[in-house]
Amino acid sequence: MKTAYTNGTIFTMDAANEWYKNGIIITEDGRIVYAGPPNDFEQQSVDETIDLKGKWVLPGLVNTHSHILMTILRGTGDDMNLKPWLEQRVWPLEQQFTPEIGTASARLGVLEMLKSGTTTFSDMFNPNGIDSDEVIHAIADSGIRGAFSHTVFSAGSEADQRANLNEAERFAKTYRSFADGRFTTMIAPHSPYTCTPKALEECARLAKENKVMAHIHVAETDGEIEEILTRYGARPIEHIRRSGLFDVPAIMAHGVVLNDEERAFMKERDIRVAHNPVSNLKLGSGVADVAALREADVKVGIATDGVMSNNNFDMFEELRLAALLQKGTYKDATRLPAEEILAMATRIGAEAVGMKHTGCLKSGRCADFITIDPSDKPHLQPAAEACSHLVYAVSGKDVCDVYVEGRQLVKDGQCLTMDEEKIIADANRLRKQLEI
Amino acid sequence: MKTAYTNGTIFTMDAANEWYKNGIIITEDGRIVYAGPPNDFEQQSVDETIDLKGKWVLPGLVNTHSHILMTILRGTGDDMNLKPWLEQRVWPLEQQFTPEIGTASARLGVLEMLKSGTTTFSDMFNPNGIDSDEVIHAIADSGIRGAFSHTVFSAGSEADQRANLNEAERFAKTYRSFADGRFTTMIAPHSPYTCTPKALEECARLAKENKVMAHIHVAETDGEIEEILTRYGARPIEHIRRSGLFDVPAIMAHGVVLNDEERAFMKERDIRVAHNPVSNLKLGSGVADVAALREADVKVGIATDGVMSNNNFDMFEELRLAALLQKGTYKDATRLPAEEILAMATRIGAEAVGMKHTGCLKSGRCADFITIDPSDKPHLQPAAEACSHLVYAVSGKDVCDVYVEGRQLVKDGQCLTMDEEKIIADANRLRKQLEI
């Protein structure tokens, strides 16, 4: 089935940054077969034509780092620093999770992501009490795309740690081309401060053997650098390098505290960064030097982190803040201009999580795209400056339609694949079971 | 007419930070006569009862610094530093303004403000080509509350400058209790770098004689400090003090570059600050040290600035960023907790612009309040953590109802007092007349 979407203002987000007024996208079998001006439209034979009526169209947003199982904890533990927040809130609460809570949490998060324009996300599942199989099936049913990992921690007995590693491997194997190929997996040691060197080495081996990416929290705070330096005599990047984890394609969440040498090494090894500007501010970690990373030609994607440190999954808010922070910290308004940050939230983010087949509207890529209808929104007027508005004025709540692999998942702001009322009711009911 | 609003989760934002689940607000003649638990409700005789059905209620937000006449320029001149942005974009475009463009721009801005929960704003009108009378009537018709000023610049011939000052005084006199008392006025010299010392002195005299506040851009960039120091041998605060402008209650926009001595002086003179976090980042000015200002007991309100440097009027986004930035720059997540930042965006902001009669839901204050209905919004779940969500998860697009002086201006997200379709059409038509 061939579908033509006509009369859109199409931001392809390809490397040349092409965009088309009154443009057309034609999709077939989940892929884009044409995106461009309407020149050749008459000659195409399509089965269905959908008039976009001047809506803005861009690739679905790519959230490169999240913890979707924590969604039910939104609003718990604000205004706390990272360490007490993890030790006094996140971990004690996660330990009370049941499979039902985990699944409800994931559903709530995916619902919010889809409605706010995210079509692909890369997520670390924390293992406490969670049945990853149930969770991943719930996510698959929504129609979203993603890269998932069952997080590895060096906690508990030796047997516990072995079981955790085994489960991470089983998970990576089982789901690495799940959901008709929409899902991939990664191996995710939580961080250099929660994993032993041996666990990092094991993770490196698992990622190599299973040919999947590695995903890890690194260089989030000054305290982490000091701690790793004290414990292992090396800064986190060098410490992890020794484990072999950077011998495979890897993405690090945060990268707030890095030096020039580390950035050069990251470029050399193609280590990507998931930049979480809200979370880094909210937890008091600081501001990642994204401009320096981009100058070093490191791939930087945008991410929300979990909603306990955000507290929403609005990628438009996140990408805007990413741009604003570089301007403000460099005291230079020309840093990270609109086109570059939009590319980071789409094409570059997709590359960063190993999904080059999405993130860009051109022939051959997956038909993952979203629309925004500016016509009735005062905050998007005058509407002619669409590219500016997409970065500096739009919110996730402005998203109208969402398509993944050509399938419409959100229509006029309503999710077609999930029971919104039930998901909200379940989240509120189950949250009451958790206690600090 | 006495109206009771029942069954709301009411955040009073009074100094004790009281809030009530299943609370009640009773209004009469535009004032709140009761806000609290439902205890005494049976004994009250009311004419009308409105069931809020669990919605969250808080005082309308107070935007302490904006340039509403620039709204039509949204998205023009992104990614530029302050000086070229003013000289190459803002001023050349504003010089082409017609009265019709000015009024259309103001209407578009007020519409966006109301729909996103702002009930009071303090605005500097730039005078180029604008008929301030027409603009102020258009704003009054919307039902919003505000403090307005006709900006003073030392530009053009001596006669031009005299005319500008005369108009600023006429404006301040004419509208200082306009719109049934909803409007006040201020005297607003643009800044120490665009006004001569003589103009600052004249403004001080006008503010004193007319018993109105002063409003001025100060200490926005490092470059401004250097420039004023070079020209006048004093930093901006001291330079302005010499003019006498700080002998009247004053609010300064920005206050990014201040030292301890200046903050102590500001406390002594009760000089308030309108903090514009997005604009300060977007123009590369930096991050104001709000935590130090609050420690010095200076009143700090939240503000959006004009949408050319923002690019929206979403005060929820603004207050969230204000909180996040202090946590991030201090590397301390406990800075500016949720309750404090909400107070700054409501009660403290109202005090900062000289409007103590609003900004707080308690008996005697104006019935200016807004509601948010979390029930169908995934990003506000679980809904029990309402105060956290109001700061860290809500967007202006979530605002449901808006009341000013007991009159409903927005209902279920639709503005009742303005023609939304016409305003959007006018803005798009008129924008095309302006050229760079």
Side-chain angles (χ1 to χ4, degrees):
Chain A
M1 166 118 161
K2 220 167 183 175
T3 307
Y5 300 85
T6 63
N7 196 25
T9 297
I10 298 174
F11 295 87
T12 62
M13 301 321 300
D14 62 6
N17 226 337
E18 284 174 307
W19 69 281
Y20 306 98
K21 212 173 151 71
N22 302 314
I24 287 189
I25 294 176
I26 300 175
T27 66
E28 188 172 23
D29 298 332
R31 295 270 164 167
I32 293 167
V33 295
Y34 177 82
N39 317 10
D40 305 329
F41 181 50
E42 304 295 351
Q43 292 146 46
Q44 301 272 0
S45 68
V46 299
D47 302 299
E48 190 188 13
T49 300
I50 292 169
D51 184 354
L52 295 175
K53 297 177 182 168
K55 285 179 199 166
W56 302 337
V57 184
L58 72 164
L61 303 175
V62 178
N63 190 340
T64 55
H65 178 73
S66 57
H67 299 279
I68 201 142
L69 295 179
M70 292 163 69
T71 311
I72 202 166
L73 302 176
R74 189 199 312 270
T76 313
D78 296 326
D79 308 324
M80 296 175 78
N81 286 312
L82 178 66
K83 219 165 168 158
W85 175 78
L86 283 173
E87 291 169 2
Q88 294 164 30
R89 290 288 184 284
V90 180
W91 294 334
L93 282 162
E94 283 185 343
Q95 267 160 18
Q96 300 169 48
F97 269 38
T98 62
E100 190 188 12
I101 291 177
T103 305
S105 204
R107 282 210 177 96
L108 180 64
V110 170
L111 176 62
E112 184 191 347
M113 285 186 179
L114 282 176
K115 290 183 70 153
S116 56
T118 294
T119 54
T120 296
F121 72 115
S122 172
D123 200 274
M124 276 191 190
F125 295 178
N126 283 1
N128 299 306
I130 302 297
D131 180 337
S132 293
D133 299 288
E134 192 179 318
V135 169
I136 209 156
H137 280 89
I139 298 174
D141 291 345
S142 75
I144 204 166
R145 186 184 305 285
F148 305 104
S149 44
H150 188 91
T151 312
V152 172
F153 286 90
S154 301
S157 67
E158 202 160 318
D160 290 340
Q161 295 182 35
R162 174 49 48 200
N164 182 190
L165 276 161
N166 289 345
E167 176 58 16
E169 181 174 25
R170 185 197 67 83
F171 180 88
K173 278 183 197 292
T174 309
Y175 299 110
R176 75 176 151 195
S177 56
F178 191 65
D180 303 318
R182 281 183 287 117
F183 287 9
T184 60
T185 52
M186 297 189 188
I187 293 289
H190 176 266
S191 69
Y193 62 91
T194 49
C195 290
T196 60
K198 186 157 174 297
L200 293 176
E201 282 165 27
E202 285 288 291
C203 285
R205 185 182 59 77
L206 292 180
K208 270 177 231 172
E209 285 176 10
N210 293 286
K211 295 193 171 50
V212 297
M213 281 183 65
H215 186 180
I216 181 168
H217 298 99
V218 190
E220 185 169 2
T221 63
D222 297 327
E224 175 193 330
I225 310 295
E226 279 165 44
E227 185 177 333
I228 300 303
L229 204 49
T230 306
R231 273 160 69 176
Y232 305 114
R235 288 167 59 96
I237 302 285
E238 168 61 13
H239 171 64
I240 296 166
R241 186 196 64 75
R242 292 174 186 168
S243 74
L245 196 75
F246 290 146
D247 299 345
V248 300
I251 183 163
M252 68 163 69
H254 306 306
V256 176
V257 192
L258 295 170
N259 60 32
D260 284 343
E261 196 184 336
E262 288 166 330
R263 281 185 284 264
F265 171 75
M266 289 165 66
K267 162 65 184 163
E268 188 194 314
R269 294 289 185 97
D270 195 18
I271 302 167
R272 305 90 190 255
V273 174
H275 173 46
N276 303 262
V278 170
S279 172
N280 294 156
L281 292 177
K282 185 159 186 274
L283 295 172
S285 308
V287 178
D289 192 341
V290 173
L293 284 164
R294 295 292 297 149
E295 271 164 25
D297 199 20
V298 171
K299 292 187 190 86
V300 182
I302 307 298
T304 59
D305 212 341
V307 297
M308 270 183 90
S309 59
N310 190 302
N311 297 357
N312 62 44
F313 285 125
D314 188 335
M315 278 285 291
F316 281 107
E317 188 181 314
E318 205 76 39
L319 71 90
R320 171 157 57 248
L321 181 59
L324 293 173
L325 282 176
Q326 296 305 304
K327 297 172 195 302
T329 51
Y330 274 90
K331 297 198 175 182
D332 178 358
T334 67
R335 296 272 168 173
L336 279 202
E339 297 76 12
E340 186 172 355
I341 197 72
L342 265 189
M344 288 165 61
T346 53
R347 186 186 74 251
I348 297 169
E351 288 170 9
V353 297
M355 292 203 174
K356 277 195 176 179
H357 47 289
T358 184
C360 172
L361 302 181
K362 65 183 203 186
S363 182
R365 299 272 184 139
C366 295
D368 296 357
F369 60 97
I370 65 177
T371 75
I372 287 170
D373 179 5
S375 65
D376 61 347
K377 299 182 178 65
H379 65 286
L380 303 182
Q381 309 302 328
E385 304 286 352
C387 179
S388 166
H389 299 343
L390 285 171
V391 172
Y392 296 116
V394 159
S395 136
K397 285 100 207 167
D398 297 324
V399 171
C400 182
D401 306 306
V402 176
Y403 296 83
V404 173
E405 235 159 72
R407 178 183 177 203
Q408 185 160 22
L409 306 183
V410 175
K411 185 178 181 174
D412 292 331
Q414 295 305 306
C415 188
L416 304 176
T417 54
M418 303 183 88
D419 183 342
E420 298 198 25
E421 237 173 272
K422 182 173 183 319
I423 288 169
I424 289 174
D426 285 348
N428 283 287
R429 176 176 57 80
L430 293 166
R431 175 66 185 84
K432 295 192 182 95
Q433 298 181 8
L434 301 169
E435 280 169 19
I436 299 282
Chain B
M1 167 119 161
K2 220 170 185 174
T3 307
Y5 300 85
T6 62
N7 194 26
T9 297
I10 298 175
F11 295 87
T12 63
M13 301 320 301
D14 63 4
N17 226 338
E18 284 174 308
W19 69 281
Y20 306 99
K21 212 170 153 67
N22 302 315
I24 287 189
I25 295 177
I26 300 174
T27 67
E28 187 172 25
D29 299 332
R31 296 270 165 168
I32 293 166
V33 296
Y34 177 80
N39 318 8
D40 306 328
F41 180 50
E42 305 295 351
Q43 293 146 44
Q44 302 272 357
S45 67
V46 297
D47 302 297
E48 189 188 14
T49 299
I50 292 168
D51 184 355
L52 294 176
K53 296 176 184 171
K55 286 180 200 165
W56 303 338
V57 184
L58 71 164
L61 303 175
V62 179
N63 189 341
T64 54
H65 177 72
S66 56
H67 298 279
I68 201 144
L69 296 178
M70 291 163 70
T71 310
I72 202 166
L73 301 177
R74 188 199 314 268
T76 313
D78 295 326
D79 309 323
M80 296 175 76
N81 286 311
L82 179 64
K83 218 164 170 158
W85 175 77
L86 283 173
E87 290 169 2
Q88 294 164 31
R89 290 287 185 282
V90 181
W91 294 335
L93 282 162
E94 282 186 344
Q95 266 158 20
Q96 301 169 47
F97 268 40
T98 62
E100 190 188 14
I101 291 177
T103 305
S105 203
R107 282 209 176 96
L108 179 64
V110 170
L111 176 62
E112 185 190 346
M113 284 185 178
L114 282 176
K115 289 183 70 153
S116 55
T118 294
T119 54
T120 296
F121 72 114
S122 173
D123 200 275
M124 278 191 187
F125 295 178
N126 283 3
N128 300 304
I130 302 295
D131 180 337
S132 293
D133 299 289
E134 193 178 317
V135 169
I136 209 157
H137 280 88
I139 298 174
D141 291 345
S142 76
I144 203 165
R145 186 183 306 284
F148 304 104
S149 44
H150 188 90
T151 313
V152 172
F153 285 91
S154 300
S157 68
E158 203 160 315
D160 289 341
Q161 295 183 36
R162 173 49 49 201
N164 181 191
L165 276 161
N166 288 345
E167 177 57 15
E169 180 173 27
R170 184 196 69 81
F171 180 88
K173 278 182 195 294
T174 310
Y175 298 110
R176 76 175 151 194
S177 57
F178 191 65
D180 305 316
R182 279 182 289 118
F183 286 9
T184 60
T185 52
M186 297 189 187
I187 293 289
H190 176 267
S191 70
Y193 61 93
T194 49
C195 291
T196 61
K198 187 159 174 296
L200 293 176
E201 282 167 25
E202 285 287 292
C203 286
R205 183 181 61 77
L206 293 180
K208 270 176 228 173
E209 285 177 11
N210 293 287
K211 296 194 170 50
V212 296
M213 281 183 66
H215 185 181
I216 182 169
H217 298 98
V218 189
E220 185 170 2
T221 62
D222 297 327
E224 176 193 329
I225 310 295
E226 280 167 41
E227 185 178 333
I228 300 303
L229 205 49
T230 307
R231 273 159 70 174
Y232 304 114
R235 287 167 60 96
I237 302 285
E238 169 61 12
H239 171 63
I240 297 167
R241 186 198 63 74
R242 290 174 188 169
S243 74
L245 195 75
F246 290 147
D247 298 346
V248 299
I251 182 163
M252 69 163 70
H254 306 305
V256 176
V257 191
L258 296 168
N259 60 32
D260 284 343
E261 197 184 336
E262 288 167 331
R263 282 185 283 265
F265 171 75
M266 288 165 65
K267 162 64 185 164
E268 187 194 312
R269 294 290 184 96
D270 195 18
I271 301 167
R272 304 92 190 253
V273 173
H275 173 47
N276 302 262
V278 170
S279 172
N280 295 157
L281 292 179
K282 186 160 185 273
L283 295 172
S285 308
V287 178
D289 191 342
V290 172
L293 284 164
R294 296 291 299 147
E295 270 163 28
D297 199 20
V298 172
K299 293 185 188 87
V300 182
I302 306 298
T304 58
D305 211 343
V307 296
M308 271 184 91
S309 58
N310 192 300
N311 296 351
N312 63 44
F313 285 125
D314 188 335
M315 278 286 290
F316 281 106
E317 188 180 314
E318 205 77 37
L319 72 88
R320 170 156 60 245
L321 181 59
L324 293 175
L325 281 176
Q326 296 305 303
K327 297 172 194 302
T329 51
Y330 274 90
K331 297 197 174 182
D332 177 358
T334 67
R335 297 272 168 172
L336 279 203
E339 298 75 13
E340 186 171 354
I341 197 74
L342 265 190
M344 287 165 62
T346 54
R347 185 186 76 251
I348 297 170
E351 288 169 7
V353 298
M355 292 201 174
K356 277 195 177 181
H357 47 290
T358 184
C360 171
L361 301 182
K362 64 184 206 184
S363 182
R365 299 273 184 136
C366 296
D368 297 355
F369 61 98
I370 64 177
T371 75
I372 287 169
D373 178 5
S375 65
D376 61 348
K377 299 183 178 64
H379 65 286
L380 304 182
Q381 308 304 328
E385 304 287 352
C387 179
S388 166
H389 297 344
L390 285 171
V391 172
Y392 296 116
V394 158
S395 138
K397 285 101 207 165
D398 296 324
V399 170
C400 182
D401 306 306
V402 177
Y403 296 82
V404 173
E405 232 159 78
R407 178 183 178 205
Q408 186 162 22
L409 307 183
V410 174
K411 184 177 180 175
D412 292 330
Q414 294 305 305
C415 187
L416 303 175
T417 54
M418 303 183 88
D419 183 340
E420 297 197 28
E421 237 173 272
K422 183 175 184 317
I423 289 169
I424 288 174
D426 285 350
N428 282 286
R429 177 176 56 82
L430 293 165
R431 176 65 185 83
K432 295 193 183 94
Q433 296 180 8
L434 300 169
E435 281 169 20
I436 300 282

